[in-house]
Amino acid sequence: MSTEEQILRLDLPALLRYGIGPGAARRGVLFGEGAVAAAVTLDRLGVQPRAVAFLAKIVRSGGTRYAAGLPEPFPGADASRTAADWLANAAAVALSTDDDETVARWFEAVAEILALRHRTAGAGR
């Protein structure tokens, strides 16, 4: 089993539930392995880094609950379902603007990792 396959076994919805909010016990894992797993997942779904960065801006501007209500957070049905699941789990525990900021920063981290994957994949061609 590849390292990517192993990291994709992480339960991102659970990491979001336990990585957001005061005293979040899994925040380090959420921003580490969780962000990498999210980037790999979105890469496989064909999501562009700019779409993830834009979603981070929406979370920062409107809040996690607002973003969770978006009908299509990313282009494509599978990518939108994935993001909607992540956002719903984050919204369940994001109780303050500080929590919304944490969610936005997580999506920014995912966007950066995704962009790095794209840059390194393009360099090898």
Side-chain angles (χ1 to χ4, degrees):
M1 178 181 311
S2 75
T3 304
E4 276 192 7
E5 295 302 323
Q6 290 173 333
I7 204 152
L8 288 173
R9 291 176 177 242
L10 286 173
D11 185 349
L12 285 173
L15 283 178
L16 284 159
R17 285 191 312 274
Y18 295 106
I20 306 296
R26 306 299 290 173
R27 185 163 298 159
V29 178
L30 175 64
F31 275 83
E33 293 95 333
V36 173
V40 171
T41 299
L42 295 177
D43 194 20
R44 290 182 175 192
L45 292 171
V47 176
Q48 295 297 311
R50 66 181 173 265
V52 184
F54 184 68
L55 183 57
K57 288 180 183 181
I58 293 171
V59 169
R60 186 169 281 119
S61 298
T64 307
R65 282 184 183 76
Y66 173 80
L70 294 172
E72 191 174 0
F74 292 136
D78 289 340
S80 283
R81 274 192 299 277
T82 298
D85 184 36
W86 296 346
L87 287 163
N89 279 277
V93 294
L95 304 176
S96 69
T97 55
D98 287 341
D99 295 339
D100 291 335
E101 180 63 23
T102 300
V103 175
R105 285 188 303 108
W106 182 74
F107 276 112
E108 288 171 340
V110 172
E112 287 297 325
I113 295 166
L114 185 56
L116 179 63
R117 284 178 60 87
H118 285 200
R119 283 192 302 273
T120 57
R125 292 180 191 171

